[in-house]
Amino acid sequence: MPKKFKVIWVITCVVIVLGFIVTSIRFQVEQGREAHIRRAEESRLVYEAKLAKRKAAMELVRMVENVRELVASGKNAEAIKLAEKVVDKDPENALARTWWAVALVNQKKVDEAIEMFKASVAKDPNQAKTYHFWGLILTKLGHHQEAIDKYENALLLEPESSNGYTYWGAALGRMERHKEAVEKLSKAIDLNPFNELAYGVLVDSYFHLGDYAQAWETVKNARKQKLKVPEATLSRLQNMSPE
């Protein structure tokens, strides 16, 4: 083969090889670019899904808070309608069911309320509020030992709950177990020296035990904290043992 043709052949081969290399590089770059775009799009979709989920969760929290506010305002029918909407959106929402139950209690639909408390606990057994409210209803119904069981459940979840011990003490008082009531109510005041309800019930407990001196001492301690003891409690104590 003439030298001229050899040179042309070599150059052609080099050009072909270089063309192949360039094409291969371009292909790999294009593939990398497409993969990058795909990963970016996947990341965007994941982020948007998380953001939407977070917004939905925050909206549910706001709705449950609105249910609570409606119950506190005495707008029980509206509270129940809103609670139903929350449960439709989030069937596992326990707290909405708890406030729903409280609204039912306010409407004097006690049997329905108890079933709703049960439904709330079935969805989430770790809500102390549910047990507190459920216990209060049972106390009103005269089911004091069942109520105490609920308060105990609540205190397992919130051991520092002053109200939990107060409700427990009040239930014990209704059962005329006044010494035990004093123990629970004293614990309630230790946890929260400004628990006005606990002072009032504790005065009653000492009164029923005939320990009028300690009852007046409790009144004195309440007054130091600028707390009021119910007039009926003070009147009963005053009649038996004038201050």
Side-chain angles (χ1 to χ4, degrees):
M1 178 184 294
K3 185 177 180 181
K4 181 179 179 180
F5 289 112
K6 283 183 179 181
V7 171
I8 293 172
W9 182 78
V10 169
I11 291 172
T12 301
C13 289
V14 170
V15 169
I16 290 171
V17 170
L18 288 174
F20 176 77
I21 291 171
V22 170
T23 301
S24 177
I25 290 170
R26 283 179 178 172
F27 178 73
Q28 290 177 20
V29 168
E30 184 64 24
Q31 275 194 323
R33 188 176 72 84
E34 289 178 357
H36 175 74
I37 292 171
R38 186 167 59 252
R39 286 194 298 271
E41 178 64 11
E42 288 172 353
S43 296
R44 183 184 68 80
L45 292 173
V46 169
Y47 170 76
E48 289 181 353
K50 286 182 178 179
L51 185 61
K53 189 175 180 180
R54 191 179 304 120
K55 285 181 178 178
M58 290 174 66
E59 177 61 21
L60 284 170
V61 169
R62 281 193 291 269
M63 289 175 74
V64 172
E65 180 60 20
N66 288 338
V67 174
R68 185 195 67 78
E69 290 174 357
L70 287 168
V71 171
S73 301
K75 299 176 181 177
N76 298 295
E78 292 177 48
I80 289 170
K81 285 181 181 178
L82 185 56
E84 287 176 333
K85 288 181 181 178
V86 174
V87 171
D88 283 342
K89 290 185 176 183
D90 179 14
E92 301 303 308
N93 197 300
L95 200 51
R97 287 179 167 86
T98 294
W99 290 115
W100 186 344
V102 175
L104 287 168
V105 169
N106 292 341
Q107 293 182 330
K108 302 189 186 306
K109 298 176 181 177
V110 176
D111 290 340
E112 291 180 47
I114 288 176
E115 291 304 312
M116 191 57 67
F117 281 127
K118 289 178 182 178
S120 179
V121 169
K123 294 298 180 182
D124 183 0
N126 298 313
Q127 290 283 350
K129 267 191 186 70
T130 304
Y131 294 111
H132 279 151
F133 287 127
W134 192 354
L136 289 169
I137 301 313
L138 290 167
T139 294
K140 285 183 179 181
L141 292 173
H143 302 159
H144 304 304
Q145 187 55 58
E146 290 180 53
I148 288 171
D149 291 341
K150 303 309 174 196
Y151 302 142
E152 286 185 285
N153 285 342
L155 285 163
L156 286 172
L157 296 167
E158 292 183 356
E160 302 301 305
S161 171
S162 177
N163 283 338
Y165 283 103
T166 301
Y167 302 150
W168 190 347
L172 287 166
R174 296 285 185 87
M175 299 169 74
E176 299 188 2
R177 292 159 58 180
H178 300 297
K179 285 185 178 180
E180 294 172 70
V182 166
E183 179 187 338
K184 301 305 177 188
L185 293 161
S186 298
K187 175 71 173 177
I189 291 171
D190 285 344
L191 289 168
N192 178 11
F194 300 96
N195 188 330
E196 193 168 76
L197 177 61
Y199 281 102
V201 181
L202 183 56
V203 172
D204 268 335
S205 295
Y206 281 127
F207 173 85
H208 288 294
L209 287 169
D211 192 345
Y212 305 128
Q214 196 61 51
W216 279 119
E217 184 66 23
T218 303
V219 172
K220 180 181 175 182
N221 291 336
R223 288 170 175 168
K224 281 181 183 177
Q225 303 292 359
K226 298 184 178 180
L227 302 174
K228 292 182 179 180
V229 174
E231 285 300 322
T233 298
L234 286 176
S235 177
R236 185 164 53 246
L237 181 58
Q238 186 74 38
N239 289 335
M240 292 299 297
S241 174
E243 186 174 4

